[in-house]
Amino acid sequence: MYNWIWTGWAKVYDTMNRPTPTDIGAVAKTGDTIEGSLVVENILTVPKGLQIAGTDAQIFPGADNAGFISNNINIGSWYGIGFYCSLTGAEGYAGYIDTRTGKLQMAGQIIPANYANFDARYQAAGSSGKPATSGISGSVLWWRDADTGVIFMMGTTASVPNSGRVTFPFAFPAACFSVVANRNNSSGEAAAMQPYSIDKTGWNLRIAGGGTETVTWFAAGK
């Protein structure tokens, strides 16, 4: 009877007969399933992490660290973590991380706040210096490094007599540091040879026993 009106039978709960969460539509502290949406207006603390039902995706805490061993917060995925744009008219993936390979790919630019790491690993645009130049003068091939001024020459000179002079196609601006010469005749006995009197404009050849030789030579200077 309620308010002097007879009603159907009802169960009365008290400290000796407590209701279950199901009886009153509550969530069980020991674990339960919420079939609708859940709104948390304050901080939600999940000590062991969150897992999306039916998947291997989870968010879970780790050690106080940043690196490949552990991190303060970890995002777990069986395969990919996507960055999805939900803006109406622009829906779609803007990028993703492949958790198996570590590959990060974005549809647009990835712009760092600090370029120091990039500058340390790669040569800055426009800093490659002046290009090297090269050419052929008669039977002499030459190459010049425009940054350092180093010059290499190599060529073949025919009929050089003992104490004869080999002249460079152009003079070294500072000095010629070395000349290496080799006999290039197809007949006759090999002869000992020695470049000498090396300067900016050329060099002389000493041939043991005299005679003439066709020589291939290499010179370096700047």
Side-chain angles (χ1 to χ4, degrees):
M1 177 179 290
Y2 176 75
N3 200 21
W4 299 104
I5 298 176
W6 286 102
T7 63
W9 289 101
K11 183 180 290 187
V12 177
Y13 296 106
D14 55 31
T15 55
M16 298 297 294
N17 181 32
R18 298 179 182 275
T20 67
T22 303
D23 291 334
I24 59 175
V27 178
K29 291 177 62 177
T30 56
D32 212 334
T33 299
I34 300 175
E35 296 179 353
S37 300
L38 175 65
V39 178
V40 180
E41 295 184 351
N42 210 321
I43 297 174
L44 175 65
T45 301
V46 185
K48 294 186 178 180
L50 295 173
Q51 179 156 345
I52 300 174
T55 72
D56 287 323
Q58 62 273 145
I59 301 174
F60 57 95
D64 186 15
N65 190 37
F68 287 103
I69 303 301
S70 185
N71 297 274
N72 290 104
I73 186 169
N74 300 282
I75 301 175
S77 172
W78 181 75
Y79 199 172
I81 299 173
F83 301 95
Y84 188 84
C85 175
S86 59
L87 177 65
T88 301
E91 295 92 340
Y93 285 98
Y96 69 90
I97 299 174
D98 185 333
T99 58
R100 297 181 182 180
T101 64
K103 180 175 72 174
L104 166 65
Q105 184 166 336
M106 302 300 293
Q109 282 185 304
I110 300 176
I111 303 175
N114 187 335
Y115 284 87
N117 185 53
F118 290 87
D119 294 341
R121 292 173 179 263
Y122 302 100
Q123 186 168 346
S127 66
S128 59
K130 301 176 183 178
T133 56
S134 63
I136 297 176
S137 298
S139 61
V140 178
L141 171 67
W142 58 269
W143 176 88
R144 177 190 288 119
D145 187 314
D147 277 330
T148 63
V150 171
I151 300 172
F152 296 144
M153 295 186 192
M154 59 203 76
T156 300
T157 305
S159 302
V160 181
N162 183 35
S163 301
R165 181 75 173 173
V166 176
T167 303
F168 299 133
F170 58 87
F172 287 90
C176 177
F177 301 120
S178 177
V179 172
V180 178
N182 291 286
R183 183 175 182 271
N184 193 37
N185 287 335
S186 60
S187 61
E189 296 182 359
M193 299 184 301
Q194 174 190 343
Y196 69 99
S197 297
I198 300 170
D199 59 29
K200 297 179 184 179
T201 62
W203 51 281
N204 289 74
L205 180 67
R206 179 176 291 111
I207 305 172
T212 62
E213 295 287 352
T214 297
V215 294
T216 58
W217 52 269
F218 175 88
K222 65 180 299 184

